[in-house]
Amino acid sequence: MDTECTNNETPGPARSVRRGGAALAALMLAGLAGLTAAPAVQAAPAHHAPRADRADRGALLKVTPVADLSRAEVARFLKKGEFESGKETVRYGVRAYRLTYRTVDTQGRPTTATGLFVLPRTPEHRALGLVSDSHGTMVHRSYAPSVGEDFGRLSPYLHAAAGKAVAAPDYLGLGKGPGLHPYMDTRSAVTASEDMLRASHTAARREGRTLSGDLFLTGFSQGGQVAMALGKELDRKGLAPFTVRAVAPVSGPHDLSGEEFPALFDGRVNDTSGVFYLSYFLVAQNRLHPIYKDPSEVFRAPYADRVQQLFDGEHTEEEVLPALPRSLKELLTPGFYERIQHPGGGLKEALEANDGACDWKPAAPVRLYASRGDTDVPIQDARSCAAVLAAHGVRAPVVDQGGVPHMGSAVRATPKIARWFAAMR
């Protein structure tokens, strides 16, 4: 494992803080990037390892320092993101690192991924609980937490400032990882997250810190679903030395078949977000499931000729959104517009493969955070998850964040979750 320690320099011009979803409701936080210190020399991404057996998965390849913030700097960063930044929650400064580690791709073949690892500036003798913090929808690889000094770091910094270590995976194909991002592929998001935990355990030891083994799972939007799925996988097989102590997803699309896809057509999901999410989902999932042979089977002209390139990981949301139409009827061919409301074949296969994250019996307490004002991921997704958990005898309250939109649910919920996790010694 290589540790890359370079003299830090202030990054370039600040860019907007983006939410984990479509860009319309993005927070525009001028000057935020200047609060984080980036290395003068960026580490080149590691490429495919020669093997990826059980012993290799999660092996730490490289550690790159990306930020070192005082408590006051963390508070300013969070305040600009409209996150709570009071002394009750922000108790410590933070040090952040990009980890490069071994994992597997969607086919189980060896590859690498990156993620953000954050340590609080607590006394070094203190054992730290670890938060697995899964991010929401991102289209450009540089949005990922280990690279972008924007929204993807708000939640990890908050949890670290509250006293926990944080592992925030970039997922496959984002950050400095190779290839395309398999958007909404739950299985690979879970393996990347699981291996990020292994890499974080090694990184903590290399930095002279000790992890207690207490593990807390959270995530926003796409990451909320990932948090539940990760909990299910760890419940099934365990992951030494970790024990899950609490699970707190925020506005996750937990029920694609029963709630999220129907909401695209009944008005619960706004048109702009619906077009964005569905385009991304179809392009990414078609690489894994046989949804279409040619984009023209699904997308109208001129979108059939551009949509796959838009979601290549190199376009920003500011570039993607203007290139898409305003409604699903303008996006989809008439035949597919009807078909998608009654999924079959590869589309049904894709939905079923990515549902079921709530279908287990957690031993740890679960709180499902959502917002009744959310028109990206309606609150019914959380209620559906709660009903499935209840069928297993688990009471998981749906904590309504009020009439705020999608991004607002994260802004309101994350400080509450940080305090809940911090109170669990």
Side-chain angles (χ1 to χ4, degrees):
M1 187 276 290
D2 296 326
T3 301
E4 183 174 291
C5 296
T6 62
N7 293 326
N8 291 340
E9 65 178 17
T10 302
R15 56 190 174 87
S16 60
V17 169
R18 301 170 178 87
R19 67 186 178 95
L24 271 213
L27 298 175
M28 306 298 290
L29 307 185
L32 182 144
L35 286 175
T36 57
V41 179
Q42 295 293 328
H47 293 289
H48 286 225
R51 51 193 287 270
D53 59 24
R54 184 174 296 274
D56 278 344
R57 282 189 50 190
L60 183 61
L61 300 175
K62 188 170 291 185
V63 177
T64 305
V66 295
D68 191 349
L69 279 66
S70 68
R71 177 180 174 182
E73 288 172 324
V74 173
R76 289 200 298 272
F77 184 93
L78 295 172
K79 185 177 181 180
K80 287 189 176 183
E82 299 185 7
F83 270 50
E84 182 180 310
S85 56
K87 292 182 179 180
E88 179 184 357
T89 306
V90 181
R91 301 170 58 203
Y92 307 101
V94 304
R95 292 187 177 94
Y97 310 84
R98 180 188 308 118
L99 306 186
T100 304
Y101 60 95
R102 299 189 194 277
T103 187
V104 292
D105 67 11
T106 58
Q107 305 302 315
R109 299 170 300 202
T111 188
T112 62
T114 54
L116 183 73
F117 180 56
V118 193
L119 290 168
R121 289 179 172 181
T122 55
E124 292 191 359
H125 65 272
R126 176 179 166 185
L128 302 170
L130 180 65
V131 175
S132 177
D133 193 346
S134 308
H135 68 72
T137 302
M138 296 177 175
V139 293
H140 197 288
R141 59 175 53 253
S142 69
Y143 289 0
S146 81
V147 178
E149 301 92 6
D150 51 26
F151 179 77
R153 292 193 183 177
L154 289 170
S155 180
Y157 284 0
L158 179 61
H159 285 289
K164 296 284 193 291
V166 182
D170 292 336
Y171 309 146
L172 298 182
L174 295 174
K176 298 293 183 178
L180 296 168
H181 174 49
Y183 176 56
M184 288 299 294
D185 178 52
T186 306
R187 182 178 180 182
S188 66
V190 167
T191 55
S193 299
E194 182 182 347
D195 293 339
M196 178 67 184
L197 295 176
R198 293 186 172 101
S200 297
H201 186 263
T202 304
R205 186 171 64 249
R206 298 293 178 96
E207 294 300 319
R209 306 303 298 271
T210 302
L211 300 183
S212 68
D214 292 332
L215 180 62
F216 305 84
L217 308 181
T218 190
F220 170 59
S221 194
Q222 176 190 4
Q225 189 239 31
V226 173
M228 286 300 300
L230 177 61
K232 181 179 180 180
E233 179 68 1
L234 298 183
D235 180 75
R236 182 182 72 83
K237 66 178 186 180
L239 180 64
F242 298 110
T243 301
V244 176
R245 298 301 185 190
V247 185
V250 182
S251 299
H254 303 295
D255 188 356
L256 295 177
S257 302
E259 294 295 345
E260 190 65 24
F261 261 57
L264 294 170
F265 300 94
D266 64 16
R268 286 179 291 154
V269 172
N270 71 79
D271 287 341
T272 300
S273 294
V275 168
F276 176 84
Y277 289 135
L278 184 59
S279 299
Y280 199 1
F281 181 86
L282 292 173
V283 168
Q285 290 296 313
N286 190 60
R287 302 184 188 113
L288 305 173
H289 306 279
I291 298 173
Y292 60 84
K293 293 182 179 179
D294 189 277
S296 62
E297 299 169 26
V298 171
F299 303 104
R300 289 178 182 264
Y303 310 109
D305 294 332
R306 68 176 67 152
V307 68
Q308 295 190 146
Q309 289 70 37
L310 289 173
F311 295 100
D312 62 359
E314 303 299 334
H315 289 77
T316 66
E317 289 180 358
E318 291 81 358
E319 294 170 324
V320 172
L321 282 168
L324 294 174
R326 294 174 295 179
S327 70
L328 292 181
K329 283 193 173 182
E330 295 175 81
L331 174 72
L332 303 174
T333 62
F336 195 78
Y337 185 85
E338 295 301 321
R339 175 186 162 194
I340 202 169
Q341 296 179 68
H342 308 282
L347 179 58
K348 183 179 181 181
E349 180 182 305
L351 293 174
E352 290 178 346
N354 296 296
D355 275 334
C358 299
D359 191 10
W360 57 296
K361 186 176 182 178
V366 178
R367 295 179 183 177
L368 301 164
Y369 293 80
S371 166
R372 64 179 180 273
D374 193 338
T375 62
D376 285 38
V377 181
I379 196 171
Q380 286 85 357
D381 274 276
R383 291 170 178 161
S384 176
C385 182
V388 174
L389 292 170
H392 289 285
V394 175
R395 180 183 178 276
V398 175
V399 187
D400 185 357
Q401 301 306 295
V404 296
H406 191 56
M407 180 64 208
S409 65
V411 171
R412 288 192 177 184
T414 305
K416 299 172 186 176
I417 295 169
R419 288 193 293 271
W420 184 39
F421 288 174
M424 302 180 74
R425 303 295 183 185

Short mmCIF file of all heavy atoms in Angstrom, two decimals, residues 122-127 208-210:
data_model
loop_
_atom_site.label_atom_id
_atom_site.label_comp_id
_atom_site.label_asym_id
_atom_site.label_seq_id
_atom_site.Cartn_x
_atom_site.Cartn_y
_atom_site.Cartn_z
N THR A 122 -9.94 13.80 17.11
CA THR A 122 -10.11 13.43 18.52
C THR A 122 -8.77 12.91 19.03
O THR A 122 -7.86 12.63 18.25
CB THR A 122 -11.18 12.34 18.66
OG1 THR A 122 -10.81 11.23 17.83
CG2 THR A 122 -12.54 12.85 18.24
N PRO A 123 -8.64 12.76 20.37
CA PRO A 123 -7.41 12.16 20.90
C PRO A 123 -7.14 10.81 20.26
O PRO A 123 -8.05 10.01 20.05
CB PRO A 123 -7.71 12.02 22.40
CG PRO A 123 -8.73 13.09 22.68
CD PRO A 123 -9.57 13.17 21.44
N GLU A 124 -5.88 10.53 19.92
CA GLU A 124 -5.55 9.35 19.14
C GLU A 124 -5.79 8.04 19.89
O GLU A 124 -5.92 6.99 19.26
CB GLU A 124 -4.09 9.42 18.67
CG GLU A 124 -3.86 10.52 17.65
CD GLU A 124 -2.50 10.43 17.00
OE1 GLU A 124 -1.74 9.52 17.36
OE2 GLU A 124 -2.21 11.28 16.13
N HIS A 125 -5.89 8.07 21.20
CA HIS A 125 -6.11 6.84 21.95
C HIS A 125 -7.58 6.41 21.93
O HIS A 125 -7.91 5.30 22.32
CB HIS A 125 -5.66 7.01 23.40
CG HIS A 125 -6.47 8.01 24.17
ND1 HIS A 125 -6.14 9.36 24.19
CD2 HIS A 125 -7.60 7.88 24.92
CE1 HIS A 125 -7.03 10.01 24.93
NE2 HIS A 125 -7.93 9.13 25.38
N ARG A 126 -8.45 7.27 21.47
CA ARG A 126 -9.89 7.00 21.53
C ARG A 126 -10.31 6.11 20.37
O ARG A 126 -10.05 6.41 19.21
CB ARG A 126 -10.67 8.30 21.48
CG ARG A 126 -12.18 8.13 21.44
CD ARG A 126 -12.86 9.47 21.42
NE ARG A 126 -14.26 9.35 21.06
CZ ARG A 126 -15.09 10.36 20.88
NH1 ARG A 126 -14.63 11.60 21.04
NH2 ARG A 126 -16.34 10.18 20.55
N ALA A 127 -10.98 4.99 20.66
CA ALA A 127 -11.50 4.10 19.62
C ALA A 127 -12.73 4.75 18.99
O ALA A 127 -13.59 5.31 19.69
CB ALA A 127 -11.86 2.74 20.20
N GLY A 208 -2.66 5.38 12.66
CA GLY A 208 -2.49 5.31 14.10
C GLY A 208 -3.79 5.42 14.88
O GLY A 208 -3.77 5.74 16.07
N ARG A 209 -4.92 5.14 14.21
CA ARG A 209 -6.22 5.22 14.88
C ARG A 209 -6.82 3.83 15.02
O ARG A 209 -6.53 2.91 14.24
CB ARG A 209 -7.18 6.13 14.12
CG ARG A 209 -6.64 7.52 13.82
CD ARG A 209 -6.21 8.28 15.08
NE ARG A 209 -7.31 8.50 15.99
CZ ARG A 209 -8.11 9.57 15.95
NH1 ARG A 209 -7.92 10.50 15.02
NH2 ARG A 209 -9.07 9.73 16.82
N THR A 210 -7.72 3.69 15.98
CA THR A 210 -8.38 2.42 16.25
C THR A 210 -9.88 2.55 16.01
O THR A 210 -10.50 3.50 16.51
CB THR A 210 -8.14 1.97 17.70
OG1 THR A 210 -6.74 1.85 17.93
CG2 THR A 210 -8.82 0.64 17.97
#
